[in-house]
Amino acid sequence: ALTTELRTQLQLREVAGIPLQASTVDNWSQIQNFEAKPDDLLICTYPKSGTTWIQEIVDMIEQNGDVEKCQRAVIQHHHPFIEWARPPQPSVLVLHRCFFLIYFKGVEKAKAMPSPWILRTHLPIQLLPPSFRENNCKFLYVAQNAKDCMVSYYHFQRMNQMLPDPGTWEEYFETFINGKVGWGSWYDHVKGWWEMKDRYQILFLFFEDIKRDPKQEIQKVMQFMGKSLHETVLDKIVQETSFEKMKENPMTNRSTVPKSILDQSISPFMRKGTVGDWKNHFTVVQSERFDEIYRQKMEGTSINFCMEL
Ligand code: A3P
């Protein structure tokens, strides 16, 4: 059972209209004052849009395709999560072959690591610590179509005991379209980043493109990171970052997280990894209503999503 203190930390509270974890809001000034440096790379996603996948791709590129190095720790600890302030986010420190568990906030964890940093965030662009934009850091944004993202978020809230209960699918439909979920509205998040993509160094990728042609998209990430890897290494990265491999890999499938936090018997963390699973969830009526709301909320943007492969 969760303690009262932990429950309080789990509640969502708003910053400038965006629901965030209470612990993030409590540490807001420390997060906002984070000093990014010009060579840093920030991995940016709306929740459930392929964060873990792009993290593994980035890490494989960074480690030149060395699988063993990528398995040095669980993936959530490779790239400090800048707005994360909820204890515990344990980190494993290996000293003299002994393992130590240490607890850090995302910003503290980053500062303890050598720079340049590769960091991650779910923050909408307007809530980023200002130093990222002031220093013209590189941003790697991955977006997934709204319907599949909503399905994934729904199942994640069912299995993640740290998040609000999503209720029924019908109830969640309303919650999601109204942006009453952690990190706010999908529509505003995606639009916000998309509209800034030519003003900053933003590589804007789509989950659906990575699924369709992983090698081509991985190559884009590699170039963006200023790396050059041999064709055979790229092929290896494509294989190692496939859904099947990552589902089996204990460093990426969250199997090390206790059941009291992520209950994978309700829904696995690596659930389906496909494009178009929304068709198994939305009724025709819901889909039409969703499309209408989508048109209103996304009016005027040039962004185009692929809804099935
Ligand atoms: P589903 O719930 O639709 O299966 P995040 O990491 O941002 O939480 O995103 C989670 C979603 O990405 C999940 O979607 C998960 O299955 C999917 N995913 C993770 N790794 C993947 C991979 N290698 N290939 C395809 N999808 C992947």
Side-chain angles (χ1 to χ4, degrees):
L2 301 177
T3 61
T4 318
E5 190 196 356
L6 191 49
R7 275 186 189 279
T8 313
Q9 287 171 6
L10 298 177
Q11 286 165 5
L12 297 177
R13 294 221 315 265
E14 293 192 1
V15 171
I18 308 292
L20 297 171
Q21 288 179 323
S23 51
T24 296
V25 181
D26 288 341
N27 287 276
W28 195 241
S29 62
Q30 190 190 13
I31 294 164
Q32 286 295 297
N33 289 331
F34 179 73
E35 286 180 35
K37 302 191 176 73
D39 292 336
D40 296 340
L41 169 69
L42 185 61
I43 297 171
C44 316
T45 48
Y46 183 77
K48 308 315 293 174
S49 300
T51 322
T52 316
W53 194 10
I54 196 68
Q55 278 189 270
E56 186 67 356
I57 289 171
V58 165
D59 199 45
M60 285 288 294
I61 293 171
E62 182 70 5
Q63 307 301 338
N64 305 310
D66 187 327
V67 176
E68 262 180 41
K69 277 194 186 159
C70 290
Q71 300 198 349
R72 68 198 177 283
V74 290
I75 186 95
Q76 42 295 29
H77 300 312
H78 288 172
H79 308 124
F81 190 4
I82 55 165
E83 67 270 31
W84 189 275
R86 186 179 86 205
Q89 190 192 20
S91 207
V92 179
L93 178 72
V94 187
L95 265 184
H96 307 298
R97 301 191 176 198
C98 293
F99 288 90
F100 295 89
L101 271 184
I102 42 179
Y103 296 94
F104 273 136
K105 292 175 190 165
V107 287
E108 290 170 353
K109 194 161 156 182
K111 285 183 205 161
M113 287 166 66
S115 107
W117 294 316
I118 303 182
L119 309 159
R120 74 173 159 125
T121 188
H122 287 322
L123 289 173
I125 192 161
Q126 74 277 14
L127 292 187
L128 272 191
S131 62
F132 283 98
R133 293 210 254 170
E134 284 162 10
N135 284 301
N136 195 27
C137 295
K138 285 185 184 171
F139 302 109
L140 175 49
Y141 190 87
V142 180
Q144 186 182 33
N145 78 76
K147 285 180 175 170
D148 280 326
C149 184
M150 174 173 148
V151 169
S152 186
Y153 213 161
Y154 169 68
H155 289 294
F156 188 60
Q157 286 196 213
R158 288 175 55 234
M159 61 87 78
N160 189 334
Q161 307 307 307
M162 302 283 139
L163 293 178
D165 183 324
T168 63
W169 168 248
E170 289 71 24
E171 285 163 351
Y172 195 70
F173 186 95
E174 305 301 324
T175 311
F176 185 88
I177 58 177
N178 290 314
K180 298 292 178 204
V181 292
W183 289 276
S185 149
W186 177 97
Y187 313 91
D188 293 344
H189 201 282
V190 169
K191 266 194 300 192
W193 279 95
W194 177 255
E195 278 156 19
M196 290 292 171
K197 74 179 174 14
D198 300 325
R199 257 183 62 193
Y200 297 98
Q201 298 194 77
I202 300 178
L203 177 65
F204 199 106
L205 298 181
F206 294 90
F207 182 100
E208 296 77 15
D209 288 343
I210 313 176
K211 192 78 196 175
R212 190 182 47 218
D213 191 346
K215 192 167 174 182
Q216 176 187 294
E217 300 307 297
I218 291 171
Q219 226 155 356
K220 284 186 197 166
V221 178
M222 177 190 81
Q223 281 159 5
F224 188 65
M225 290 171 68
K227 299 272 287 189
S228 163
L229 299 172
H230 195 271
E231 188 82 15
T232 52
V233 177
L234 274 178
D235 289 331
K236 186 174 168 196
I237 296 177
V238 171
Q239 279 171 25
E240 293 297 328
T241 57
S242 71
F243 179 77
E244 291 69 27
K245 279 271 185 163
M246 285 181 60
K247 191 177 170 72
E248 292 309 312
N249 180 352
M251 295 299 141
T252 52
N253 65 14
R254 300 286 204 277
S255 57
T256 55
V257 178
K259 194 175 175 183
S260 57
I261 299 178
L262 297 184
D263 188 345
Q264 305 220 26
S265 68
I266 297 176
S267 178
F269 181 76
M270 291 285 166
R271 200 184 56 89
K272 284 211 173 161
T274 56
V275 177
D277 188 40
W278 62 269
K279 292 184 175 174
N280 300 317
H281 291 73
F282 284 70
T283 63
V284 173
V285 173
Q286 279 176 333
S287 180
E288 285 173 356
R289 182 158 163 246
F290 195 94
D291 292 347
E292 182 48 36
I293 292 163
Y294 185 92
R295 262 191 295 278
Q296 290 165 14
K297 293 199 186 264
M298 300 300 277
E299 204 183 353
T301 95
S302 57
I303 197 166
N304 233 323
F305 280 89
C306 153
M307 303 302 291
E308 58 189 308
L309 288 182

